[in-house]
Amino acid sequence: MSVDTVSDESLRAAMVDQLVADHADKGLTMRPEVEAALRAVPRHLFTPDAGLEEAYRADQAVITKRVGDEAVSSVSAPWLIAEMLGQAADSVDGGLHGRHVLEIGSGGYNAALLRELVGPAGSVTTVDIDPDVTDRATACLAAAGYDDVMVVCMDAEQPIDPSRSYDLIIVTVGAWDIPRAWAGQLAEHGTLVVPLRTFGMTRSWALRREDDRLVSLSQRLCGFVPMRGAGAHDMQYVDVAAGVHLRLDEGQQIDPEIVGELLSQPSTQAWAGVSLPPRTVLADLDLWLASRITGTGKQFVVLTAQQDAVDTGVVVPAWRFGTPAVLHGGTFCYRSALRWSDDMFDLGAVAHGPDAAAAAERMVEHMRAWLDAGSPSPVLYVLPSGIPDGDLPAGTVLDKRHSRLVLTFTPA
Ligand SMILES: C[S@@+](CC[C@H](N)C(=O)[O-])C[C@H]1O[C@@H](n2cnc3c(N)ncnc32)[C@H](O)[C@@H]1O
């Protein structure tokens, strides 16, 4: 056995130990078959241009193609792949063994993991829009000994093989909508796992097909390179102040000068007056806020900021990589940094503008309401576009190009 082989194995074992521990920290349990697959697949053979250490970093994607400055393809981060495979295995009745799987977005690594999970009686097809990526995935799969994965080069917005249906479709590229082809290729009660952007925030949703609709079973925080081809939907960032940006989605338009001018005015802070333990996960709260503070006259947006803008106090966001914010009646309000005391924290909102005190208070009331409801998680329904309002489940409706999404919250 070569020295390299020994290091590959020990690095891989350490990476998987780390992933199992990270799952436990998040209150998740890694399924044994997912753990076994992660221990079996030699990830470094799918990242030949990266060093061994880089190949086995649990928290990092390895970028495999850029166009200009933009990363357009990668071998996804192990923590994210592990969580999405867990979502998939939890959602497909009876587990993944013997199942037929379509992966959208190829890197080779995840397809190899899926091959391990479905076993000889199942099948894996992986599709990518980019011939460089499919050529690379084909070569890496062969080098790692996975020669029974079907690799297809095409835009996955269209059906891959209209005569086939899949028990699981796992999308490994950031989507803005659910094209008809995805639900159409799912077996009845099949599962679609997809990183989907709603209100400017992306979550990996596990959605089960129930007749004409998809209904979510779980969701996780995630980030991916965006879809290309017919399903591309650019996310727009506007600069509102030095180092402060707004992420706009769903065809939104906002005058950056108005928000910049508001940010230069004094702010008002409100607190929810709650005491929460460290590690309380607030990702569901952000979707709750999005669903509560959209509507006529209100523009829900996501605020992002560079560290300098936070250090100099231009903004004090809850999370500088994406904080819920709203522009309403000439007042700008966002979820602010946590206030810690005795190892517990409180939730707050900051507002600028003529109605600042009331706007900040309204936002913290929504936060209290989420906590009072038992910190519920969102449930997402995906229905085909054209379904009349009266046939939609109750909830916040978000219309996309091919689908109507309904976001609702059930008590924890
Ligand atoms: C994050 S990478 C996939 C990672 C991979 N599953 C792995 O094993 O780590 C995302 C891929 O999605 C592909 N992609 C983007 N738009 C696509 C589309 N419309 N149809 C198929 N593939 C697409 C990109 O070319 C890119 O290679």
Side-chain angles (χ1 to χ4, degrees), residues 72-76 81 103-111 127-130 133 154-157 172-173 224-229:
V72 295
S73 190
S74 65
V75 173
S76 304
I81 287 187
E103 181 198 41
I104 294 176
S106 310
Y109 178 56
N110 194 41
V127 58
D128 203 287
I129 195 169
D130 187 331
V133 177
M154 64 176 281
D155 186 341
E157 183 89 353
T172 60
V173 57
F224 269 98
V225 298
M227 285 274 289
R228 295 188 269 166

Side-chain angles (χ1 to χ4, degrees), residues 215-255:
V215 184
S216 72
L217 302 172
S218 66
Q219 45 98 16
R220 305 265 188 275
L221 258 182
C222 71
F224 269 98
V225 298
M227 285 274 289
R228 295 188 269 166
H233 192 280
D234 284 344
M235 197 146 63
Q236 206 195 325
Y237 283 88
V238 293
D239 296 352
V240 290
V244 184
H245 321 280
L246 299 182
R247 194 191 292 158
L248 305 185
D249 206 356
E250 275 96 35
Q252 289 180 313
Q253 291 196 326
I254 231 167
D255 184 344

Side-chain angles (χ1 to χ4, degrees), residues 155-184:
D155 186 341
E157 183 89 353
Q158 304 304 326
I160 310 309
D161 173 355
S163 67
R164 286 201 65 180
S165 68
Y166 301 92
D167 303 301
L168 168 68
I169 300 179
I170 184 163
V171 183
T172 60
V173 57
W176 177 80
D177 194 2
I178 309 285
R180 291 271 161 95
W182 297 357

